[in-house]
Amino acid sequence: MKTFIVGISGVTNGGKTTLAKNLQKHLPNCSVISQDDFFKPESEIETDKNGFLQYDVLEALNMEKMMSVISCWMESARCSVVSTDRESAEEIPILIIEGFLLFNYNTRVYEPPDPPGYFDGHVWPMYLKHRQEMQDITWEVVYLDGTKSEEDLFLQVYEDLIQELAKQKCLQVTA
């Protein structure tokens, strides 16, 4: 049984969750796992020299737990659908994993809001650092233009996914 896994990553508060949820609404047999659900408790988050909690680092996340949830999804996806020689693209289980540090190992409203200077002084520099690390990885990564509308981004990713699923279907039928 084939599965299709998509990663959506980018700067904090950049629309990843919104895009993932929109895709989930429109794609059959689609699940979403959000990295935001795997932050460690605040008591385990380090503070920088300016007094900001360091949420934008990998150490702030319980990645072992996240990987365990992903593994469980992969195992249940293999078992949940009976495999046939002529599976349609709609039957392929799709997992969308979204988060700000995926490739390094609804609009979000923060309550309480971030302290003044936190985004410019911490979030953006950490994003740039991690993006550079991502660019050094040889995986196929498609970068989205964050200045485009939410609808345009959704349509671009949705069309790319439909094309990839169609390729998967062709591969399965001829195999």
Side-chain angles (χ1 to χ4, degrees):
M1 175 75 188
K2 290 204 178 220
T3 57
F4 199 79
I5 299 177
V6 176
I8 300 173
S9 189
V11 67
T12 297
N13 206 23
K16 300 173 299 294
T17 303
T18 301
L19 177 59
K21 288 181 179 180
N22 262 339
L23 289 166
Q24 184 179 31
K25 287 179 193 174
H26 291 87
L27 293 168
N29 209 12
C30 181
S31 302
V32 173
I33 294 176
S34 175
Q35 198 172 40
D36 285 351
D37 295 334
F38 298 93
F39 278 109
K40 293 177 181 175
E42 186 175 315
S43 62
E44 295 179 32
I45 307 296
E46 292 193 25
T47 305
D48 72 3
K49 64 183 178 185
N50 298 315
F52 295 128
L53 289 171
Q54 298 297 290
Y55 282 106
D56 287 276
V57 296
L58 202 54
E59 294 77 21
L61 297 159
N62 186 338
M63 290 302 292
E64 294 81 18
K65 184 175 179 183
M66 183 175 169
M67 294 307 295
S68 176
V69 170
I70 292 168
S71 294
C72 286
W73 179 90
M74 291 173 68
E75 198 54 42
S76 66
R78 285 189 193 104
C79 299
S80 66
V81 179
V82 178
S83 182
T84 65
D85 290 339
R86 305 186 130 239
E87 286 177 313
S88 71
E90 290 81 23
E91 292 171 333
I92 297 174
I94 302 167
L95 175 61
I96 297 173
I97 307 167
E98 65 90 6
F100 67 103
L101 285 177
L102 288 187
F103 303 110
N104 305 75
Y105 181 170
N106 85 65
T107 303
R108 185 166 176 145
V109 176
Y110 292 97
E111 287 298 330
D114 290 335
Y118 183 70
F119 184 86
D120 291 332
H122 176 69
V123 173
W124 189 251
M126 292 305 291
Y127 166 72
L128 294 175
K129 173 186 179 279
H130 296 304
R131 180 177 169 149
Q132 183 59 52
E133 290 173 2
M134 259 181 33
Q135 289 174 332
D136 296 336
I137 297 172
T138 59
W139 298 339
E140 181 182 340
V141 175
V142 176
Y143 292 94
L144 300 176
D145 180 353
T147 63
K148 289 185 178 180
S149 72
E150 181 181 311
E151 180 66 18
D152 287 344
L153 291 172
F154 165 75
L155 288 172
Q156 177 185 345
V157 174
Y158 181 76
E159 289 170 11
D160 287 351
L161 285 172
I162 294 300
Q163 288 177 1
E164 285 299 318
L165 288 168
K167 287 179 192 175
Q168 293 288 330
K169 181 179 175 185
C170 291
L171 290 174
Q172 290 177 348
V173 172
T174 60

